[in-house]
Amino acid sequence: MSKTNKDWHAQHRMPEHATAEQRLAWHRAHAAACGCRPPPPDIQRQIEARPNGHRGAEAQAKPDRAS
């Protein structure tokens, strides 16, 4: 682990009551900008499972609209 990037932490607060997607995005950005500590194991698994930052294709598919 490296030194904490205090400026980054001050400017990038985790939202209160963050959703799972917000937590994942925050930890992804944190890992890129600050090496103070690794993400929690559950978040790390999600980052590895979704390397491009998106949910699976099934979550992105738009539902058919009934006319």
Side-chain angles (χ1 to χ4, degrees):
M1 288 187 272
S2 66
K3 193 173 178 181
T4 300
N5 183 338
K6 291 181 182 182
D7 291 335
W8 188 91
H9 277 269
Q11 294 174 17
H12 299 88
R13 304 288 300 182
M14 174 79 74
E16 221 177 293
H17 308 292
T19 66
E21 289 301 315
Q22 287 173 315
R23 288 185 68 224
L24 184 60
W26 187 93
H27 281 287
R28 187 182 301 277
H30 178 253
C34 181
C36 67
R37 63 181 174 268
D42 62 320
I43 297 291
Q44 184 62 43
R45 283 190 296 273
Q46 291 178 47
I47 290 171
E48 291 168 359
R50 303 188 305 198
N52 61 358
H54 299 293
R55 290 197 234 172
E58 70 283 351
Q60 293 181 11
K62 294 180 180 178
D64 292 330
R65 291 186 178 180
S67 299

